[in-house]
Amino acid sequence: MSNPIRTGVLLTLLAASAVGWAESACTVAAKDTFTTQVDVGASATQSFAGDFRSQGVSTVIEKHCGSLDCHGNAARNMKIYSSGGLRLPNEAGAAPGQSATTLEEITANYLSIADLEPEQLTQVRAHGADPYSLLLIKKPLELERHKGGPAITRGDDAEACLISWLKSGIAGAVVDKNSCTKGANFPSQ
Amino acid sequence: MRATRIIPRFFGLALGLALASIMSCADPEISGGAAALGKETSGIAKGEFHRAGQPCVVCHQDQGPAADKPFVVAGSIFASPVRMVGVNNAEIRMTDSEGTKFTTKTNCVGNFMVRPTQWRPHFPILVSIAKDNIVRQMQGPIGRDGSCAHCHANAVPPDDPFSQTGHVYLYGGDEPGSPNGSVDCQANPIAAASPN
């Protein structure tokens, strides 16, 4: 093998290894979403993603936004997975309306939210920017046009839950779990 | 001389074609969705008894093939999760996001429809269905789509069981006393699939 060809082959192999390593690292990071600290806030003791699951924030979003004809739709942006709506493909065959929302689905919900406006979310979470500047809040409150109408009502528990979660990066602030529990009780006639 | 006669004719033809093209302009999503529903079932004329279990608002909306009869919410209530026997006189109780309430009833094939002249709800809508003392509440709200069958499919595709759920039903099995639906119904209360 001539030198230029040998060099080309070596470089290709090196690049392929680097890509493989990067993919592995990303996979590990995704799997550890709920066990590692998300470095977006001033408070080192809070886990943004962890609170999303453990404080019931995901459940509020699942109930208010995740119906099959809204964000529980495979063709829509900000896809939300839940037991009562769209399911992540699963080997157990759990369909809409069957079994509880899984950890993988909550993880996917978190990533849907985090990917919506990542820079603005960091500004709110880490630098105290106004949470009402986020589409996550503006849309369901209809502060900005929302085809699905008002998914949450101004002043209700769902709003309090989401705002407290978004502000929980500030030192001393915590997620309002009580509001999240009440906000997840939806729909209620 | 000849050219001066041909040019106005050509221009008129082009203008006519352009106008025809604009007037026949249809939303491909709506027309495609309507075509995908298949043809009318033989023996059931277009009307309140047709296409039970299908997504009504695909056609019954502005720009849809049945735009002259628009619905804001419409669907079908069946007795059982495994058979498509319509429930007659079932109540559909709805509350919209502003708290306004509207109740309607199914006809003898299980179909119901709400026209914008009757109620203009602000989505999302909470809904329950009832007959006699049996009440079923939908787990989640209707977010934006007026067709029950948009999410509640007659046949959930086997290659994608994760994004749709089965048709709406009131009982766990056949309706007590009416296993095959209303005997006085002008149409067969047992829904048939539309031919392609």
Side-chain angles (χ1 to χ4, degrees):
Chain A
M1 205 182 285
S2 67
N3 275 346
I5 293 175
R6 190 183 301 160
T7 307
V9 169
L10 282 172
L11 282 174
T12 306
L13 286 172
L14 198 61
S17 305
V19 169
W21 178 84
E23 282 180 351
S24 303
C26 288
T27 308
V28 169
K31 282 180 180 169
D32 287 352
T33 299
F34 290 109
T35 55
T36 56
Q37 181 68 34
V38 178
D39 186 22
V40 291
S43 168
T45 58
Q46 297 281 337
S47 165
F48 198 38
D51 284 347
F52 186 75
R53 173 181 59 86
S54 65
Q55 303 300 302
V57 180
S58 182
T59 312
V60 169
I61 291 173
E62 290 165 30
K63 292 289 186 75
H64 287 261
C65 315
S67 64
L68 285 168
D69 59 341
C70 287
H71 291 278
N73 186 305
R76 196 137 298 142
N77 60 350
M78 203 192 86
K79 279 183 269 298
I80 298 298
Y81 300 90
S82 66
S83 61
L86 179 66
R87 305 311 303 259
L88 263 184
N90 59 86
E91 290 182 354
Q98 298 172 353
S99 69
T101 306
T102 65
L103 181 60
E104 289 79 7
E105 288 171 332
I106 295 172
T107 306
N109 292 344
Y110 174 75
L111 295 175
S112 287
I113 302 283
D115 284 348
L116 197 59
E117 294 177 295
E119 291 86 5
Q120 292 94 320
L121 187 62
T122 301
Q123 287 299 315
V124 170
R125 171 72 181 170
H127 305 294
D130 183 7
Y132 289 89
S133 64
L134 296 172
L135 287 175
L136 179 67
I137 300 298
K138 285 194 289 186
K139 286 279 188 174
L141 283 174
E142 278 204 310
L143 302 176
E144 183 169 315
R145 187 185 173 277
H146 184 224
K147 189 168 182 182
I152 59 179
T153 308
R154 197 75 195 248
D156 74 3
D157 291 308
E159 181 191 9
C161 169
L162 294 180
I163 295 298
S164 70
W165 174 62
L166 291 165
K167 286 183 170 178
S168 63
I170 300 163
V174 292
V175 180
D176 182 352
K177 189 170 186 178
N178 187 41
S179 288
C180 293
T181 305
K182 288 182 184 172
N185 182 24
F186 180 83
S188 56
Q189 292 276 19
Chain B
M1 187 72 179
R2 194 174 168 195
T4 54
R5 290 175 63 184
I6 289 173
I7 288 171
R9 281 184 189 172
F10 179 76
F11 180 74
L13 181 65
L15 188 65
L17 283 171
L19 281 172
S21 167
I22 289 166
M23 289 174 74
S24 68
C25 184
D27 185 327
E29 190 176 336
I30 294 173
S31 55
L37 295 179
K39 296 173 182 167
E40 297 289 335
T41 305
S42 125
I44 303 179
K46 278 186 181 177
E48 63 168 312
F49 301 123
H50 85 143
R51 296 181 179 273
Q54 294 191 8
C56 319
V57 182
V58 167
C59 297
H60 291 272
Q61 63 169 312
D62 293 341
Q63 299 179 49
D68 57 327
K69 299 179 187 70
F71 301 151
V72 286
V73 184
S76 309
I77 309 298
F78 298 107
S80 130
V82 293
R83 293 178 68 212
M84 290 174 60
V85 182
V87 178
N88 187 25
N89 261 333
E91 277 190 354
I92 297 91
R93 302 167 181 170
M94 294 166 280
T95 307
D96 78 354
S97 65
E98 296 190 339
T100 69
K101 295 178 186 294
F102 187 82
T103 298
T104 189
K105 285 190 172 183
T106 55
N107 62 26
C108 60
V109 301
N111 285 352
F112 74 91
M113 63 282 313
V114 181
R115 296 180 173 84
T117 50
Q118 298 173 291
W119 189 44
R120 282 188 178 273
H122 290 260
F123 287 88
I125 300 172
L126 308 179
V127 61
S128 62
I129 56 174
K131 184 172 179 179
D132 301 325
N133 292 319
I134 306 292
V135 180
R136 280 177 68 87
Q137 164 109 35
M138 189 163 144
Q139 286 181 27
I142 300 170
R144 59 197 271 182
D145 197 300
S147 292
C148 301
H150 177 82
C151 304
H152 292 275
N154 287 339
V156 176
D159 59 337
D160 178 20
F162 307 115
S163 58
Q164 283 185 309
T165 188
H167 63 242
V168 181
Y169 62 91
L170 180 57
Y171 307 99
D174 292 336
E175 182 176 359
S178 304
N180 291 314
S182 171
V183 291
D184 302 324
C185 194
Q186 298 167 39
N188 187 352
I190 303 174
S194 289
N196 289 320

